[in-house]
Amino acid sequence: MAIRDSLEEEVLIALVRAAWLAAERSNAVTAAAGVSPSQYNVLRILRAEGGRAGLSCTEIGERMVTRDSDLTRLMSALERDGLVVRSTDANDRRRSVNRITAAGRALLNRLDRNVAEAAKETLGHLGRKRLTALLDLLVTFAPPPQSPDIP
């Protein structure tokens, strides 16, 4: 007996399968460097923050590609490995602020080319026109989080 899914279900299944397949190669790159996909994501977020005042776990969590149930544990591991540094916010002692270290930036710099190559291997065959259309659809479906600095 054939499975009869609605169009929405078929699209959702295809989207989940595509996301899993797309992540497989880049996850292998980060794993080879000794970091999980979530740790890599946190480091990218902190690097993008640049030389600013750092980000709280809440702010990092809002920008994550996938949600991590224990971001505090994840941050502790990154701090232990010397990839991030945490401090207490001078204005709010209950809030910790996280910043990427030089070692964290160096790790990302080493991974940048391999992650980009994995993405190209995974999606490059679609061509620029299809990739642009796919990006437009995905951003319409799931808009990226807005930075508080951007109106």
Side-chain angles (χ1 to χ4, degrees), residues 32-46:
V35 292
S36 71
S38 292
Q39 289 173 318
Y40 174 73
N41 191 11
V42 167
L43 292 172
R44 286 182 62 247
I45 291 165
L46 291 174

Side-chain angles (χ1 to χ4, degrees), residues 88-123:
T88 302
D89 186 329
N91 298 324
D92 183 353
R93 310 265 319 142
R94 297 169 296 170
R95 180 180 183 260
S96 68
V97 177
N98 304 278
R99 292 176 191 81
I100 191 168
T101 63
R105 274 193 287 292
L107 174 62
L108 287 181
N109 291 339
R110 286 193 310 273
L111 288 173
D112 283 342
R113 175 179 283 167
N114 293 339
V115 170
E117 286 174 6
K120 192 166 196 120
E121 285 177 32
T122 303
L123 297 167

Side-chain angles (χ1 to χ4, degrees), residues 12-145:
L12 185 59
I13 290 165
L15 183 62
V16 170
R17 179 170 165 66
W20 181 80
L21 290 170
E24 209 172 26
R25 281 191 179 122
S26 63
N27 291 352
V29 170
T30 61
V35 292
S36 71
S38 292
Q39 289 173 318
Y40 174 73
N41 191 11
V42 167
L43 292 172
R44 286 182 62 247
I45 291 165
L46 291 174
R47 178 175 65 180
E49 188 62 17
R52 299 185 188 150
L55 295 172
S56 69
C57 283
T58 301
E59 293 166 323
I60 293 168
E62 291 167 352
R63 293 177 171 110
M64 293 283 286
V65 173
T66 57
R67 302 290 181 221
D68 193 287
S69 62
D70 194 354
L71 194 53
T72 303
R73 176 192 49 77
L74 187 76
M75 296 308 299
S76 293
L78 289 169
E79 183 180 37
R80 182 191 65 239
D81 294 341
L83 302 173
V84 301
V85 63
R86 294 190 299 184
S87 60
T88 302
D89 186 329
N91 298 324
D92 183 353
R93 310 265 319 142
R94 297 169 296 170
R95 180 180 183 260
S96 68
V97 177
N98 304 278
R99 292 176 191 81
I100 191 168
T101 63
R105 274 193 287 292
L107 174 62
L108 287 181
N109 291 339
R110 286 193 310 273
L111 288 173
D112 283 342
R113 175 179 283 167
N114 293 339
V115 170
E117 286 174 6
K120 192 166 196 120
E121 285 177 32
T122 303
L123 297 167
H125 69 283
L126 294 175
R128 187 160 191 77
K129 186 176 179 180
R130 282 181 165 166
L131 284 173
T132 300
L134 179 58
L135 179 60
D136 289 345
L137 286 169
L138 292 173
V139 168
T140 300
F141 173 70

